[in-house]
Amino acid sequence: MEIGIDSFAMYNNYSSGAELTATEAMEQLLERIVCADDSGLNVFGIGEHHKKGYLDSAPHMILAAAAAQTKNIRLSSAVSVLSAADPVRVFQNYATLDLISNGRAELVVGRGSSIEAYPLFGFDLKDYDELFKEKLNLLLNIRDTEFLSWSGKFRPSLNNQPIYPRPLQKSLPIWLGVGGTPESFVRAGTLGLPLMVAIIGGETRRFAPLVDLYRQAGKAAGHSPDKLSVGLHSLGYVAETTEKAIAEFYPGYAANFTAIGKERGWPAVTRESFDSQSGKYGALIVGSPEDVAEKILRHSEALGGISRVTFQMDSAGLSHEHLKNSIILLGTKVMDLIS
Protein backbone atom coordinates (compact mmCIF):
# COMPACT_ATOMS: atom_id res chain seq x y z
CA MET A 1 0.00 0.00 0.00
CA GLU A 2 1.27 3.46 -0.89
CA ILE A 3 1.30 6.23 1.71
CA GLY A 4 1.35 9.92 0.85
CA ILE A 5 0.47 13.49 1.79
CA ASP A 6 -2.07 15.86 0.25
CA SER A 7 -1.67 19.57 0.95
CA PHE A 8 -3.87 22.57 0.22
CA ALA A 9 -0.93 24.89 0.93
CA MET A 10 -2.84 26.56 3.77
CA TYR A 11 -0.89 28.91 5.99
CA ASN A 12 -3.12 29.84 8.89
CA ASN A 13 -1.52 28.45 12.05
CA TYR A 14 -4.37 28.00 14.53
CA SER A 15 -2.40 25.99 17.08
CA SER A 16 0.42 28.49 17.73
CA GLY A 17 -1.04 31.76 16.50
CA ALA A 18 1.99 32.24 14.25
CA GLU A 19 1.49 34.31 11.13
CA LEU A 20 3.58 33.34 8.12
CA THR A 21 4.10 35.34 4.98
CA ALA A 22 3.10 33.61 1.76
CA THR A 23 6.77 33.31 0.82
CA GLU A 24 7.65 31.66 4.14
CA ALA A 25 4.71 29.27 3.87
CA MET A 26 5.72 28.23 0.36
CA GLU A 27 9.32 27.62 1.44
CA GLN A 28 8.11 25.44 4.29
CA LEU A 29 5.76 23.50 2.01
CA LEU A 30 8.60 22.69 -0.39
CA GLU A 31 10.74 21.64 2.56
CA ARG A 32 7.99 19.23 3.66
CA ILE A 33 7.81 17.69 0.20
CA VAL A 34 11.57 17.10 0.31
CA CYS A 35 11.13 15.64 3.81
CA ALA A 36 8.44 13.28 2.50
CA ASP A 37 10.77 12.16 -0.28
CA ASP A 38 13.66 11.62 2.15
CA SER A 39 11.34 9.70 4.51
CA GLY A 40 10.32 7.25 1.79
CA LEU A 41 6.71 8.31 1.26
CA ASN A 42 5.26 7.39 -2.11
CA VAL A 43 3.31 10.45 -3.23
CA PHE A 44 2.75 14.14 -2.45
CA GLY A 45 -0.35 15.87 -3.82
CA ILE A 46 -1.22 19.56 -4.05
CA GLY A 47 -4.87 20.65 -4.17
CA GLU A 48 -6.43 23.55 -6.03
CA HIS A 49 -8.20 26.49 -4.43
CA HIS A 50 -8.66 30.12 -5.42
CA LYS A 51 -9.24 31.95 -2.15
CA LYS A 52 -7.46 33.69 0.68
CA GLY A 53 -5.33 31.55 2.93
CA TYR A 54 -4.50 28.98 0.25
CA LEU A 55 -1.43 29.04 -1.99
CA ASP A 56 -2.43 26.21 -4.35
CA SER A 57 -4.13 28.04 -7.23
CA ALA A 58 -1.34 26.81 -9.57
CA PRO A 59 -0.46 23.36 -8.15
CA HIS A 60 1.65 22.30 -11.12
CA MET A 61 4.02 25.19 -10.37
CA ILE A 62 4.53 24.03 -6.77
CA LEU A 63 5.02 20.45 -7.94
CA ALA A 64 7.54 21.53 -10.59
CA ALA A 65 9.58 23.34 -7.93
CA ALA A 66 9.40 20.21 -5.77
CA ALA A 67 10.44 18.02 -8.71
CA ALA A 68 13.74 19.86 -8.92
CA GLN A 69 14.45 19.11 -5.24
CA THR A 70 13.28 15.47 -4.98
CA LYS A 71 14.26 12.13 -6.47
CA ASN A 72 11.69 9.41 -5.94
CA ILE A 73 8.34 10.68 -4.65
CA ARG A 74 5.46 10.85 -7.11
CA LEU A 75 3.98 14.34 -7.57
CA SER A 76 0.26 14.73 -8.06
CA SER A 77 -2.63 17.17 -8.14
CA ALA A 78 -5.16 16.62 -5.35
CA VAL A 79 -7.47 17.49 -7.05
CA SER A 80 -7.36 19.50 -10.27
CA VAL A 81 -10.73 21.22 -10.71
CA LEU A 82 -11.07 20.04 -14.28
CA SER A 83 -14.56 21.47 -14.79
CA ALA A 84 -13.21 25.03 -14.58
CA ALA A 85 -10.01 24.40 -16.56
CA ASP A 86 -8.94 23.83 -20.15
CA PRO A 87 -8.01 20.13 -20.46
CA VAL A 88 -5.40 20.98 -23.11
CA ARG A 89 -3.55 23.24 -20.69
CA VAL A 90 -3.98 20.80 -17.81
CA PHE A 91 -2.41 18.04 -19.90
CA GLN A 92 0.42 20.28 -21.08
CA ASN A 93 1.18 21.42 -17.53
CA TYR A 94 1.39 17.89 -16.15
CA ALA A 95 3.18 16.46 -19.19
CA THR A 96 5.79 19.16 -18.61
CA LEU A 97 5.92 18.24 -14.92
CA ASP A 98 6.43 14.62 -15.96
CA LEU A 99 9.47 15.60 -18.01
CA ILE A 100 10.92 17.78 -15.23
CA SER A 101 10.40 15.02 -12.64
CA ASN A 102 11.68 12.21 -14.87
CA GLY A 103 8.33 10.42 -15.01
CA ARG A 104 6.85 11.08 -11.54
CA ALA A 105 3.77 13.17 -12.41
CA GLU A 106 0.17 12.16 -11.77
CA LEU A 107 -3.23 13.83 -11.95
CA VAL A 108 -6.22 13.46 -9.66
CA VAL A 109 -9.10 15.26 -11.35
CA GLY A 110 -12.53 16.13 -10.00
CA ARG A 111 -15.35 18.64 -9.98
CA GLY A 112 -14.12 20.26 -6.77
CA SER A 113 -15.91 20.67 -3.45
CA SER A 114 -14.96 24.36 -3.36
CA ILE A 115 -16.82 26.26 -6.07
CA GLU A 116 -14.91 29.55 -6.30
CA ALA A 117 -13.17 28.45 -9.53
CA TYR A 118 -16.44 28.43 -11.48
CA PRO A 119 -17.33 32.14 -11.39
CA LEU A 120 -13.63 33.06 -11.43
CA PHE A 121 -13.15 31.43 -14.83
CA GLY A 122 -16.58 32.24 -16.22
CA PHE A 123 -18.42 28.93 -15.79
CA ASP A 124 -21.97 28.37 -14.59
CA LEU A 125 -22.58 26.04 -11.65
CA LYS A 126 -25.71 24.72 -13.34
CA ASP A 127 -23.31 23.00 -15.76
CA TYR A 128 -21.39 21.42 -12.84
CA ASP A 129 -21.59 17.80 -14.01
CA GLU A 130 -21.88 18.38 -17.74
CA LEU A 131 -18.69 20.45 -17.73
CA PHE A 132 -16.77 17.73 -15.95
CA LYS A 133 -18.06 14.92 -18.12
CA GLU A 134 -17.05 16.68 -21.34
CA LYS A 135 -13.67 17.87 -20.08
CA LEU A 136 -12.74 14.49 -18.65
CA ASN A 137 -13.52 12.96 -22.03
CA LEU A 138 -11.25 15.47 -23.73
CA LEU A 139 -8.42 15.00 -21.22
CA LEU A 140 -8.45 11.22 -21.68
CA ASN A 141 -8.48 11.63 -25.45
CA ILE A 142 -5.48 13.96 -25.27
CA ARG A 143 -3.61 11.46 -23.12
CA ASP A 144 -4.22 8.66 -25.60
CA THR A 145 -3.94 10.56 -28.91
CA GLU A 146 -1.15 12.84 -30.07
CA PHE A 147 -3.10 14.22 -33.05
CA LEU A 148 -6.65 14.85 -31.95
CA SER A 149 -9.95 15.68 -33.61
CA TRP A 150 -12.64 16.49 -31.06
CA SER A 151 -15.73 18.64 -30.60
CA GLY A 152 -17.85 19.55 -27.61
CA LYS A 153 -20.13 22.17 -26.08
CA PHE A 154 -17.82 24.11 -23.76
CA ARG A 155 -14.59 24.39 -25.75
CA PRO A 156 -13.67 25.13 -29.39
CA SER A 157 -13.24 22.04 -31.55
CA LEU A 158 -9.91 20.45 -32.37
CA ASN A 159 -9.22 19.34 -35.94
CA ASN A 160 -6.32 16.87 -36.17
CA GLN A 161 -4.50 19.12 -33.71
CA PRO A 162 -1.19 17.92 -32.22
CA ILE A 163 -0.82 18.53 -28.48
CA TYR A 164 2.64 18.82 -26.95
CA PRO A 165 4.68 18.10 -24.99
CA ARG A 166 4.05 14.40 -24.51
CA PRO A 167 4.92 13.03 -21.07
CA LEU A 168 7.81 10.69 -20.35
CA GLN A 169 5.41 8.06 -19.01
CA LYS A 170 3.68 6.09 -21.74
CA SER A 171 0.32 6.90 -20.17
CA LEU A 172 0.11 9.78 -17.71
CA PRO A 173 -1.69 8.41 -14.60
CA ILE A 174 -5.10 10.05 -14.17
CA TRP A 175 -7.13 9.26 -11.04
CA LEU A 176 -10.75 10.30 -10.58
CA GLY A 177 -11.32 12.11 -7.29
CA VAL A 178 -14.80 11.53 -5.86
CA GLY A 179 -16.88 12.41 -2.81
CA GLY A 180 -20.14 10.62 -2.13
CA THR A 181 -22.04 10.73 -5.43
CA PRO A 182 -22.82 7.22 -6.76
CA GLU A 183 -22.68 8.41 -10.37
CA SER A 184 -19.07 9.48 -9.88
CA PHE A 185 -18.06 6.02 -8.68
CA VAL A 186 -19.80 4.39 -11.63
CA ARG A 187 -18.15 6.85 -14.03
CA ALA A 188 -14.69 5.99 -12.73
CA GLY A 189 -15.35 2.26 -13.02
CA THR A 190 -16.81 2.50 -16.51
CA LEU A 191 -13.77 4.45 -17.69
CA GLY A 192 -11.36 2.12 -15.91
CA LEU A 193 -9.74 4.97 -13.98
CA PRO A 194 -8.15 4.55 -10.54
CA LEU A 195 -10.39 5.99 -7.84
CA MET A 196 -9.41 8.44 -5.10
CA VAL A 197 -12.17 8.65 -2.48
CA ALA A 198 -12.17 11.73 -0.27
CA ILE A 199 -13.65 10.78 3.10
CA ILE A 200 -13.35 13.64 5.58
CA GLY A 201 -16.30 12.79 7.81
CA GLY A 202 -18.63 10.01 8.83
CA GLU A 203 -17.59 6.37 8.93
CA THR A 204 -15.29 5.11 6.21
CA ARG A 205 -17.01 1.72 6.08
CA ARG A 206 -20.23 3.39 4.92
CA PHE A 207 -18.52 4.08 1.59
CA ALA A 208 -18.11 0.35 0.89
CA PRO A 209 -21.31 0.09 -1.23
CA LEU A 210 -20.08 2.97 -3.39
CA VAL A 211 -16.68 1.33 -3.89
CA ASP A 212 -18.54 -1.87 -4.79
CA LEU A 213 -20.45 0.11 -7.43
CA TYR A 214 -17.11 1.28 -8.84
CA ARG A 215 -15.73 -2.24 -9.10
CA GLN A 216 -18.97 -3.61 -10.56
CA ALA A 217 -19.07 -0.86 -13.20
CA GLY A 218 -15.43 -1.51 -14.07
CA LYS A 219 -16.01 -5.24 -14.44
CA ALA A 220 -19.10 -4.66 -16.57
CA ALA A 221 -17.06 -2.38 -18.85
CA GLY A 222 -14.44 -5.10 -19.30
CA HIS A 223 -11.65 -3.65 -17.15
CA SER A 224 -9.40 -6.06 -15.26
CA PRO A 225 -9.58 -5.89 -11.43
CA ASP A 226 -5.90 -4.90 -11.17
CA LYS A 227 -6.68 -1.73 -13.15
CA LEU A 228 -9.37 -0.66 -10.68
CA SER A 229 -7.23 0.76 -7.88
CA VAL A 230 -8.86 2.50 -4.90
CA GLY A 231 -7.15 5.25 -2.92
CA LEU A 232 -8.35 6.94 0.26
CA HIS A 233 -7.86 10.65 1.03
CA SER A 234 -8.43 11.39 4.71
CA LEU A 235 -7.69 14.02 7.29
CA GLY A 236 -4.98 12.64 9.52
CA TYR A 237 -1.97 13.23 11.71
CA VAL A 238 0.66 11.10 13.46
CA ALA A 239 2.59 11.81 16.65
CA GLU A 240 4.58 9.62 19.04
CA THR A 241 1.46 8.80 21.07
CA THR A 242 -2.24 8.99 20.32
CA GLU A 243 -2.79 11.39 23.21
CA LYS A 244 -0.12 13.73 21.84
CA ALA A 245 -1.51 13.51 18.29
CA ILE A 246 -5.00 14.47 19.43
CA ALA A 247 -3.76 17.29 21.67
CA GLU A 248 -1.82 18.80 18.76
CA PHE A 249 -4.35 18.18 15.98
CA TYR A 250 -7.69 18.99 17.64
CA PRO A 251 -7.43 22.78 18.30
CA GLY A 252 -6.66 23.72 14.69
CA TYR A 253 -9.03 21.15 13.26
CA ALA A 254 -11.88 22.48 15.41
CA ALA A 255 -11.13 26.11 14.54
CA ASN A 256 -10.84 25.50 10.80
CA PHE A 257 -13.84 23.22 10.36
CA THR A 258 -16.03 25.39 12.56
CA ALA A 259 -15.15 28.31 10.26
CA ILE A 260 -15.87 26.23 7.16
CA GLY A 261 -19.09 25.06 8.76
CA LYS A 262 -20.33 28.64 9.01
CA GLU A 263 -19.96 28.93 5.23
CA ARG A 264 -21.59 25.57 4.43
CA GLY A 265 -24.20 25.24 7.14
CA TRP A 266 -22.42 22.57 9.21
CA PRO A 267 -22.62 22.52 13.02
CA ALA A 268 -19.64 23.74 15.03
CA VAL A 269 -17.01 21.13 15.86
CA THR A 270 -17.21 19.80 19.42
CA ARG A 271 -14.82 17.53 21.25
CA GLU A 272 -17.55 14.89 21.31
CA SER A 273 -17.94 14.99 17.52
CA PHE A 274 -14.15 14.91 17.09
CA ASP A 275 -13.80 11.88 19.35
CA SER A 276 -16.44 10.11 17.27
CA GLN A 277 -14.61 10.94 14.04
CA SER A 278 -11.22 9.87 15.40
CA GLY A 279 -12.61 6.70 16.98
CA LYS A 280 -12.52 3.13 15.69
CA TYR A 281 -14.68 3.61 12.58
CA GLY A 282 -14.52 7.39 12.09
CA ALA A 283 -12.88 8.92 9.04
CA LEU A 284 -10.11 10.84 10.86
CA ILE A 285 -6.78 8.97 11.04
CA VAL A 286 -5.15 10.59 14.07
CA GLY A 287 -2.89 8.81 16.52
CA SER A 288 0.35 7.02 17.23
CA PRO A 289 2.08 5.11 14.41
CA GLU A 290 0.62 1.87 15.74
CA ASP A 291 -2.94 3.19 16.01
CA VAL A 292 -2.73 4.91 12.62
CA ALA A 293 -1.44 1.75 10.93
CA GLU A 294 -4.20 -0.29 12.54
CA LYS A 295 -6.85 2.15 11.36
CA ILE A 296 -5.49 2.26 7.80
CA LEU A 297 -5.67 -1.54 7.62
CA ARG A 298 -9.19 -1.48 9.07
CA HIS A 299 -10.28 1.07 6.46
CA SER A 300 -8.69 -1.02 3.72
CA GLU A 301 -10.55 -4.11 4.84
CA ALA A 302 -13.84 -2.19 5.04
CA LEU A 303 -13.45 -0.96 1.43
CA GLY A 304 -12.40 -4.32 0.02
CA GLY A 305 -8.74 -3.31 -0.26
CA ILE A 306 -7.09 0.02 -1.02
CA SER A 307 -3.79 0.65 -2.78
CA ARG A 308 -3.07 4.18 -1.52
CA VAL A 309 -3.92 6.41 1.43
CA THR A 310 -3.08 10.11 1.53
CA PHE A 311 -3.10 12.28 4.65
CA GLN A 312 -4.41 15.84 4.58
CA MET A 313 -2.72 17.43 7.60
CA ASP A 314 -2.31 21.15 6.97
CA SER A 315 -6.00 21.97 7.48
CA ALA A 316 -5.44 21.66 11.25
CA GLY A 317 -3.16 24.69 11.44
CA LEU A 318 -0.19 22.70 12.72
CA SER A 319 3.29 24.15 12.83
CA HIS A 320 5.88 23.29 10.21
CA GLU A 321 7.83 21.30 12.80
CA HIS A 322 4.76 19.25 13.77
CA LEU A 323 3.98 18.49 10.13
CA LYS A 324 7.55 17.43 9.38
CA ASN A 325 7.61 15.17 12.41
CA SER A 326 4.35 13.54 11.31
CA ILE A 327 5.71 13.01 7.79
CA ILE A 328 8.83 11.35 9.21
CA LEU A 329 6.75 9.06 11.43
CA LEU A 330 4.60 8.07 8.45
CA GLY A 331 7.67 7.18 6.41
CA THR A 332 9.77 5.52 9.10
CA LYS A 333 7.12 3.88 11.30
CA VAL A 334 3.68 3.59 9.72
CA MET A 335 4.86 2.28 6.35
CA ASP A 336 6.75 -0.54 8.07
CA LEU A 337 3.73 -1.44 10.17
CA ILE A 338 1.38 -1.82 7.19
CA SER A 339 3.82 -3.58 4.87
Side-chain angles (χ1 to χ4, degrees):
M1 188 190 302
E2 295 181 329
I3 301 291
I5 304 292
D6 287 334
S7 173
F8 295 165
M10 298 174 70
Y11 63 107
N12 294 317
N13 195 323
Y14 295 102
S15 56
S16 71
E19 291 188 11
L20 297 174
T21 67
T23 300
E24 290 169 336
M26 189 65 76
E27 289 175 351
Q28 291 183 357
L29 173 58
L30 290 171
E31 186 179 327
R32 292 195 295 275
I33 301 175
V34 172
C35 178
D37 186 43
D38 291 342
S39 300
L41 294 187
N42 302 108
V43 61
F44 205 108
I46 300 293
E48 180 187 342
H49 298 81
H50 301 270
K51 55 186 177 182
K52 186 176 181 179
Y54 297 75
L55 299 175
D56 61 346
S57 63
H60 63 283
M61 296 292 290
I62 299 173
L63 295 169
Q69 301 179 45
T70 56
K71 297 178 180 178
N72 299 306
I73 197 164
R74 298 192 66 79
L75 301 166
S76 178
S77 62
V79 302
S80 292
V81 184
L82 187 61
S83 304
D86 181 349
V88 174
R89 293 299 287 157
V90 171
F91 180 84
Q92 290 175 324
N93 289 338
Y94 282 85
T96 303
L97 173 64
D98 203 51
L99 298 175
I100 294 170
S101 66
N102 197 30
R104 293 185 282 133
E106 295 188 0
L107 269 164
V108 181
V109 299
R111 295 178 295 184
S113 60
S114 297
I115 60 173
E116 70 276 355
Y118 290 82
L120 181 63
F121 296 110
F123 295 101
D124 195 324
L125 273 172
K126 71 178 178 60
D127 299 320
Y128 185 73
D129 190 61
E130 195 176 357
L131 276 164
F132 182 71
K133 186 185 301 184
E134 178 178 299
K135 293 188 176 189
L136 178 60
N137 171 269
L138 176 53
L139 180 65
L140 295 176
N141 272 279
I142 295 169
R143 180 182 67 170
D144 298 336
T145 308
E146 185 173 339
F147 287 79
L148 182 62
S149 294
W150 178 93
S151 63
K153 177 180 177 181
F154 298 103
R155 190 199 186 283
S157 299
L158 299 169
N159 183 19
N160 197 34
Q161 182 71 44
I163 298 172
Y164 300 115
R166 306 308 295 181
L168 177 61
Q169 296 177 86
K170 183 177 180 180
S171 181
L172 186 68
I174 298 175
W175 296 63
L176 191 60
V178 301
T181 306
E183 291 79 8
S184 296
F185 287 80
V186 171
R187 176 184 292 144
T190 301
L191 293 171
L193 296 176
L195 183 77
M196 180 57 70
V197 189
I199 305 178
I200 62 172
E203 295 186 350
T204 297
R205 60 183 179 173
R206 297 189 183 278
F207 282 73
L210 294 172
V211 174
D212 288 343
L213 275 179
Y214 163 69
R215 293 189 171 115
Q216 291 163 9
K219 181 179 180 181
H223 301 296
S224 62
D226 62 330
K227 190 177 180 181
L228 302 172
S229 299
V230 176
L232 175 63
H233 162 98
S234 291
L235 299 173
Y237 179 65
V238 190
E240 287 76 9
T241 68
T242 293
E243 293 75 17
K244 186 172 186 284
I246 290 173
E248 291 171 354
F249 185 85
Y250 174 72
Y253 167 84
N256 187 35
F257 279 84
T258 295
I260 293 173
K262 290 179 180 178
E263 298 175 2
R264 303 190 182 186
W266 301 343
V269 174
T270 64
R271 183 55 190 264
E272 182 180 13
S273 65
F274 174 81
D275 288 343
S276 174
Q277 289 298 301
S278 60
K280 184 174 183 180
Y281 298 111
L284 299 180
I285 309 178
V286 179
S288 67
E290 294 76 15
D291 286 347
V292 163
E294 181 182 342
K295 195 164 192 180
I296 289 172
L297 294 173
R298 186 161 56 246
H299 285 343
S300 181
E301 181 180 5
L303 298 178
I306 59 177
S307 61
R308 176 180 291 182
V309 58
T310 57
F311 284 69
Q312 215 290 75
M313 296 191 292
D314 58 3
S315 60
L318 292 153
S319 72
H320 177 56
E321 290 71 25
H322 283 135
L323 293 172
K324 281 185 65 177
N325 185 59
S326 187
I327 287 168
I328 292 167
L329 288 172
L330 279 170
T332 60
K333 300 289 186 181
V334 175
M335 288 186 70
D336 287 344
L337 289 167
I338 66 171
S339 61

